[in-house]
Amino acid sequence: MSVNSAVFSNLQSINPSAIIELFVLQLDTALHGANTIYRFHAGSNLNANGKIVWATNEYLRFPVQASGFAFQRGQLPRPKIGISNATGLISSILLSVNETTAGNDLTGATVTRIRTLAKFIDAVNFADGTNATADPTAEFPQEVYAIDRKSTETREVVEFELAAPTDLAGVRIPKRQCTRSIFPSIGTFVQ
């Protein structure tokens, strides 16, 4: 994974732009009965702490705390994401999913973490409606995870443990089994 050259050059400047963290929660029709997409961010917008528009998509301001995205030697990250439940939105999503899927919660839903710099967000985010540096392609590599399980649900917060899609129970890589009878030259060295 490489960082977009515009992002990299800005990060190397004396006064870099702020990093904006955006999240996309996407349900799966087979698992949750709908293919709904929820977009949110934990920061503030230059325009009264409202929504942020990135690549023409609106991300609602919602208190979010995410951690554990760092890669450790030999291990895939297992981040956690806590989302405010003060308005009851997350509980209502869980309730509607559980009614259609018999208690599946959001297990298997996809969470994408998008990071970009404030100088690259869409022009509509600025009071004067202009941004000469807006660039919907200037972003860090997107990080895609699946919800492994719901670890906490209270009136204040709902927390989920995430996993790489290949790190979930029942997923095997490679999907096909390779044996010596199928690939007899494996292990044979040409001199």
Side-chain angles (χ1 to χ4, degrees), residues 21-26 36-42 51-62 64 89 93 112 114:
E21 191 173 42
L22 309 166
F23 296 95
V24 178
L25 170 64
Q26 182 169 7
T36 310
I37 297 174
Y38 300 94
R39 292 180 174 90
F40 46 92
H41 71 97
K51 64 186 176 195
I52 287 179
V53 178
W54 164 253
T56 69
N57 292 314
E58 293 183 357
Y59 294 81
L60 300 176
R61 183 175 184 266
F62 223 73
V64 176
L89 174 65
I93 293 170
T112 305
I114 302 168

Side-chain angles (χ1 to χ4, degrees), residues 13-88:
S13 70
I14 292 174
N15 189 16
S17 182
I19 295 176
I20 304 292
E21 191 173 42
L22 309 166
F23 296 95
V24 178
L25 170 64
Q26 182 169 7
L27 306 184
D28 183 326
T29 305
L31 297 173
H32 309 110
N35 192 20
T36 310
I37 297 174
Y38 300 94
R39 292 180 174 90
F40 46 92
H41 71 97
S44 62
N45 184 338
L46 300 172
N47 188 8
N49 293 332
K51 64 186 176 195
I52 287 179
V53 178
W54 164 253
T56 69
N57 292 314
E58 293 183 357
Y59 294 81
L60 300 176
R61 183 175 184 266
F62 223 73
V64 176
Q65 184 174 6
S67 63
F69 290 98
F71 284 83
Q72 303 295 325
R73 185 179 304 170
Q75 295 179 335
L76 292 171
R78 303 241 348 152
K80 292 183 179 184
I81 185 167
I83 306 169
S84 172
N85 199 26
T87 64

Side-chain angles (χ1 to χ4, degrees), residues 3 9 58 70-71 83 89-90 93 101 106 132 148 165 167 184-186:
V3 177
S9 62
E58 293 183 357
F71 284 83
I83 306 169
L89 174 65
I90 303 302
I93 293 170
T101 61
L106 292 179
D148 189 28
D167 198 21
S185 63
I186 293 177

Side-chain angles (χ1 to χ4, degrees), residues 55 92 104 113-114 127 188:
S92 67
N104 188 27
R113 179 186 184 212
I114 302 168
T188 306

Side-chain angles (χ1 to χ4, degrees), residues 177-184 186:
Q177 185 176 10
C178 296
T179 64
R180 191 169 286 211
S181 63
I182 297 174
F183 297 103
I186 293 177

Side-chain angles (χ1 to χ4, degrees), residues 2-4 7 54 114-116 120 135-142:
S2 64
V3 177
N4 179 294
V7 172
W54 164 253
I114 302 168
R115 293 180 304 149
T116 187
F120 298 125
D135 183 358
T137 63
E139 63 183 9
F140 292 85
Q142 292 187 6

